[in-house]
Amino acid sequence: MSDKKLPANLHLDTLAVRAAVAKSQHGENSEALYMTSSFVQPDAATAARRFAGEEEGFIYSRFTNPTVASMEQRLAALEGTEACIGTSSGMSAILLMCMGLLKAGDHVICSQSVFGSTIKLIAGEFGKFGVQSTFVSQTDVAQWQAAVQPNTKLLFAETPTNPLTEVCDIQALADVAHAAGALLAVDNCFCSPALQQPAKLGADLIIHSGTKYLDGQGRVIAGAICCSKKLIDEKFMPVMRSAGMSLSPFNAWVVLKGMETLSIRMQAQCKGALELATWLEQQPKVARVYYPGLASHPQHALAMQQQSGMGGAVVSFDVVGANPEEGRKNAFHVIDSTCVMSITANLGDTKTTITHPATTSHGRLTEVQRQAAGIGQGLIRVAVGLEHIDDLKADLARGFDSLS
Ligand SMILES: *Cc1c(COP(=O)(O)O)cnc(C)c1O
């Protein structure tokens, strides 16, 4: 699509800016936005060939649009996969993947620490249609192995997880999946391809919520699956065409432009997160810090190896509290004392966000499920943005200092 042919083996930073630029006939330098529902066909016979899949050509934006195609090709270039398919949200990427790969009687093994809506979708909605699922510990490969059944088709992990930042060994899970004749899907939201490329470690499908770091400025909802062209052609495009969980061209354009600054944002946000996590570990009002970049994290070595030596930009911590009520009261006090951070459950924004997982993202779980997931009432999650780190420390210190 670009007028010059890009050389092979370009670095990620270059691909993020240069890969898959969809140009119109006017030669604009910034990516064109093709905001149209359908495409005019030159004649009836060409239309017939395009609808039959005998000739390339844009038809209708439910399943073909040049701006969406640009975003897909750029993301595939960053993830190092053959292809990518854009979707209306991160959840609809998981919906599309499950619809394309699973049927009644099939079995999925899923980490018990994945995004809450992912658990609801796989266990609840797909359970209704006869898909079986087993949920296992994110970090214990033996549990994944033990859960394999003859009808296992898919293994699904997310690393690091939200909010406790548990890291799984992608390569080890890929080996378990492939020995079972199944596929491994990895939700790569938290790291993005700037830090972690699961395909290089053997993952077959990479799930994205473009809403997070790919957009990077909290503007749109978007999603994608990165995988082989064969899986897209045979499994996902037919579902997309019939079911229509399509990415809007406008949202695709925002994500496409967002990816240009992905790498530099991730590096700055990870640097800030490490500094904040290190400082939090020294605060007397903080009982425990969860951050893969800290030596105290149980999978620190694996995280450094898998995530380009960086811990990501999400830091969680427990504030002190003698019991759950006091933990919650103290956590609410720290959150309500902030003047800079946004109290919102989104992450991956340039604006730092702060949230209380037990009553927001994990509020739909029972207390027993929450405890099993390790999400206490004193837990706070901070997704570090691009503000000056001293201002973020001061924002939290205000709450710590005034805790009774
Ligand atoms: C936000 C998120 C999703 C869902 O993405 P949406 O774009 O909100 O649908 C899936 N997985 C993870 C890890 C997320 O953080």
Side-chain angles (χ1 to χ4, degrees):
M1 280 201 211
S2 95
D3 47 0
K4 293 192 213 173
K5 182 156 170 33
L6 290 177
N9 299 322
L10 291 173
H11 296 84
L12 183 129
D13 294 353
T14 309
L15 291 171
V17 178
R18 293 283 173 184
V21 180
K23 281 196 194 300
S24 78
Q25 72 276 25
H26 301 300
E28 65 284 345
N29 192 36
S30 179
E31 290 73 359
L33 167 53
Y34 291 87
M35 204 69 203
T36 180
S37 45
S38 73
F39 295 83
V40 177
Q41 308 299 314
D43 51 61
T46 307
R49 285 193 303 277
R50 288 182 181 171
F51 271 83
E54 294 159 11
E55 181 182 306
E56 295 269 314
F58 294 102
I59 301 172
Y60 188 62
S61 289
R62 181 169 0 98
F63 51 99
T64 50
N65 177 281
T67 308
V68 175
S70 270
M71 178 270 176
E72 293 169 338
Q73 288 165 23
R74 184 170 291 178
L75 184 54
L78 301 192
E79 284 290 0
T81 57
E82 215 178 2
C84 168
I85 184 165
T87 57
S88 58
S89 68
M91 287 322 302
S92 68
I94 302 174
L95 174 68
L96 173 61
M97 176 179 73
C98 291
M99 284 183 74
L101 296 179
L102 303 171
K103 60 180 187 322
D106 286 345
H107 176 239
V108 183
I109 309 173
C110 186
S111 156
Q112 67 197 9
S113 330
V114 294
F115 194 63
S117 299
T118 306
I119 296 182
K120 294 226 169 255
L121 179 66
I122 291 176
E125 305 304 331
F126 279 90
K128 254 177 11 196
F129 298 115
V131 172
Q132 302 164 18
S133 48
T134 307
F135 291 85
V136 297
S137 156
Q138 164 90 358
T139 53
D140 184 357
V141 180
Q143 281 193 31
W144 293 77
Q145 181 64 61
V148 170
Q149 298 178 183
N151 56 345
T152 303
K153 294 286 158 52
L154 181 68
L155 276 64
F156 190 101
E158 177 186 313
T159 182
T161 57
N162 176 28
L164 296 178
T165 70
E166 293 174 328
V167 175
C168 72
D169 187 336
I170 297 173
Q171 178 83 63
L173 295 186
D175 291 346
V176 172
H178 298 155
L183 299 176
L184 173 66
V186 173
D187 184 328
N188 200 24
C189 248
F190 268 52
C191 277
S192 89
L195 305 192
Q196 170 172 281
Q197 292 158 316
K200 289 205 176 127
L201 301 168
D204 305 286
L205 302 128
I206 294 106
I207 295 290
H208 271 290
S209 166
T211 317
K212 312 294 166 56
Y213 294 101
L214 300 183
D215 167 5
Q217 295 178 58
R219 297 166 293 194
V220 298
I221 303 280
I225 309 173
C226 297
C227 59
S228 68
K229 186 168 180 312
K230 186 174 157 64
L231 278 177
I232 288 181
D233 290 349
E234 292 176 9
K235 304 286 186 190
F236 302 142
M237 200 37 118
V239 178
M240 175 62 84
R241 202 163 165 168
S242 312
M245 53 289 267
S246 329
L247 178 57
S248 119
F250 178 76
N251 289 5
W253 182 83
V254 170
V255 172
L256 186 63
K257 298 304 284 177
M259 279 191 275
E260 295 183 355
T261 54
L262 172 67
S263 179
I264 198 161
R265 278 188 281 107
M266 284 309 285
Q267 289 179 33
Q269 290 175 239
C270 289
K271 182 168 167 277
L274 177 60
E275 204 176 319
L276 189 72
T278 307
W279 175 81
L280 282 168
E281 266 197 329
Q282 296 153 4
Q283 301 310 304
K285 298 289 166 57
V286 172
R288 181 169 172 192
V289 183
Y290 307 83
Y291 182 65
L294 291 174
S296 58
H297 188 281
Q299 295 100 35
H300 174 65
L302 173 64
M304 291 302 96
Q305 185 196 329
Q306 211 165 253
Q307 301 173 194
S308 312
M310 283 185 268
V314 175
V315 180
S316 295
F317 58 95
D318 288 315
V319 291
V320 292
N323 52 51
E325 278 105 275
E326 198 181 297
R328 181 199 286 216
K329 188 172 132 274
N330 290 349
F332 275 25
H333 175 80
V334 171
I335 292 169
D336 291 341
S337 301
T338 58
C339 300
V340 176
M341 299 182 185
S342 311
I343 305 175
T344 175
N346 192 30
L347 63 98
D349 198 326
T350 51
K351 294 182 172 67
T352 296
T353 62
I354 186 164
T355 187
H356 184 249
T359 52
T360 59
S361 55
H362 295 70
R364 287 194 289 174
L365 301 184
T366 65
E367 189 55 36
V368 174
Q369 285 174 318
R370 244 191 320 272
Q371 276 173 14
I375 300 180
Q377 292 292 337
L379 185 72
I380 293 176
R381 189 198 75 191
V382 174
V384 177
L386 287 177
E387 302 92 339
H388 196 287
I389 197 66
D390 291 346
D391 294 333
L392 298 181
K393 287 182 195 168
D395 216 26
L396 293 174
R398 203 174 304 113
F400 296 150
D401 293 347
S402 55
L403 267 185
S404 45

